[in-house]
Amino acid sequence: MERLSALGAWREYARVQRASGRRIGLVPTMGALHAGHSSLFEAARSNGDLVLATIFVNPRQFNDAGDLMKYPRTPELDHHSAEQHGVGCLVEPTLEEMWPDYPNPTATTVSVRGISDTLEGAGRPGHFDGVASVVAKLFAVTGPCRAYFGEKDFQQIAVIRQMVRDLALDVEIVSCPIVRDGDGLAFSSRNVLLSPEARARGVALSRALRDVQKTRGCASVQRRRMREVLEESGIDVAYAEVVDPITLVPTGDDEVGERRALIAGIIDGVRLIDNAAVFVEARGT
Ligand code: PAF
């Protein structure tokens, strides 16, 4: 496995690979790799891509300094895991190269308005500007590629797809299914921050989604049901929403069809998110 850090060397590596006929499968990560990330590496490999993974804990997407400080970092384990899962090139850019002005703001920010302002964006102001800006930079340095993202961060994928459309970027976005642990909890780098007791309560997120997938009813009924399940487990609910899967506009009670349920809860200061496809019926049917 090739390991790079400098932007110039990374750009040149990607250019040479493309020139030799290889398709790059970019997997952007913030490290603390887990089974969810491995599934992205595997998806890129099974598409025949040369897997180029990045590890960069992007400070611009954290609206809370404490959250950034405690974000898990496991570099040695990450190198081993990347190598084991067939990553061809692991890039770990430095803060100085990614954001030379940090901690001052950059003059240029990518802001995907509307879709960034709801759900996670409402609770974490500026979060998606940080995500869109760093992902745009990863795309710019890597060049034309396929880029793989996990559906656990459903809103993140919607924001990135919108950015790619609006800026006509030469990148194909591949979204990969959520990977869950045996108890149903979606894999997340933040799970290691949970005490065993908090983790047991966290399982309520996937339970709420499974429950609502079986609940017949309109969007309001489904929202209420998810909230009940989360609150019964003592989870501080940030949101429990049912939305259009592309625009993320909340679903009205007169609508019928496939929608996406998204939830976020805070357990002992750790924010967890999850989501699933649901079917809503119009009220009174
Ligand atoms: O999903 C993540 O790990 C991050 O938001 C990403 C896409 C790597 C950007 O920093």
Side-chain angles (χ1 to χ4, degrees):
M1 180 176 77
E2 188 90 30
R3 283 183 56 191
L4 301 172
S5 154
L7 258 62
W10 160 19
R11 193 193 297 276
E12 182 57 12
Y13 175 86
R15 191 194 63 73
V16 168
Q17 294 302 323
R18 277 196 307 278
S20 71
R22 303 203 68 180
R23 161 80 82 148
I24 294 173
L26 172 67
V27 184
T29 82
M30 296 207 296
L33 301 180
H34 50 68
H37 296 113
S38 312
S39 77
L40 304 181
F41 302 148
E42 297 298 342
R45 271 197 341 153
S46 67
N47 276 341
D49 294 350
L50 165 70
V51 187
L52 188 153
T54 59
I55 296 181
F56 179 63
V57 182
N58 172 33
R60 294 206 188 279
Q61 67 187 76
F62 288 80
N63 59 311
D64 170 352
D67 189 26
L68 173 60
M69 280 255 294
K70 66 179 190 214
Y71 197 82
R73 290 165 171 85
T74 55
E76 258 106 69
L77 290 173
D78 290 352
H79 300 156
H80 182 67
S81 166
E83 187 131 43
Q84 280 223 312
H85 290 95
V87 171
C89 179
L90 182 64
V91 182
E92 293 165 282
T94 62
L95 179 60
E96 291 69 32
E97 278 214 281
M98 286 302 283
W99 302 129
D101 301 326
Y102 190 80
N104 297 317
T106 42
T108 306
T109 297
V110 181
S111 190
V112 185
R113 283 202 292 262
I115 203 162
S116 294
D117 303 330
T118 61
L119 303 163
E120 281 304 281
R124 304 173 67 190
H127 168 64
F128 286 117
D129 287 1
V131 170
S133 300
V134 81
V135 171
K137 193 155 183 172
L138 301 180
F139 289 173
V141 180
T142 307
C145 59
R146 270 195 279 251
Y148 294 78
F149 297 90
E151 278 186 353
K152 185 180 71 65
D153 295 296
F154 194 82
Q155 186 176 10
Q156 171 168 282
I157 298 182
V159 168
I160 292 168
R161 283 194 194 283
Q162 183 73 48
M163 172 182 81
V164 165
R165 271 197 301 275
D166 288 350
L167 301 181
L169 302 179
D170 193 357
V171 177
E172 181 190 335
I173 304 300
V174 183
S175 61
C176 299
I178 298 174
V179 181
R180 298 183 181 282
D181 215 335
D183 57 6
L185 188 69
F187 277 102
S188 161
S189 302
R190 291 177 199 274
N191 291 357
V192 297
L193 302 174
L194 296 168
S195 66
E197 183 273 332
R199 194 201 146 90
R201 283 196 284 142
V203 171
L205 272 85
S206 58
R207 197 168 57 244
L209 291 166
R210 276 201 312 278
D211 193 313
V212 89
Q213 283 179 314
K214 288 184 250 148
T215 306
R216 289 176 65 100
C218 63
S220 295
V221 167
Q222 299 200 340
R223 286 185 189 104
R224 225 174 11 251
R225 184 63 200 137
M226 290 190 287
R227 217 166 247 283
E228 274 165 17
V229 176
L230 296 173
E231 285 171 355
E232 275 161 17
S233 293
I235 295 177
D236 180 9
V237 183
Y239 56 81
E241 255 304 349
V242 179
V243 300
D244 178 279
I246 309 286
T247 62
L248 306 191
V249 170
T251 301
D253 285 347
D254 53 345
E255 293 179 38
V256 57
E258 291 277 353
R259 297 291 184 273
R260 201 84 188 178
L262 293 104
I263 51 184
I266 295 140
I267 311 175
D268 292 349
V270 181
R271 190 179 179 96
L272 296 179
I273 57 173
D274 204 344
N275 67 84
V278 292
F279 189 87
V280 294
E281 295 179 339
R283 185 171 35 206
T285 53

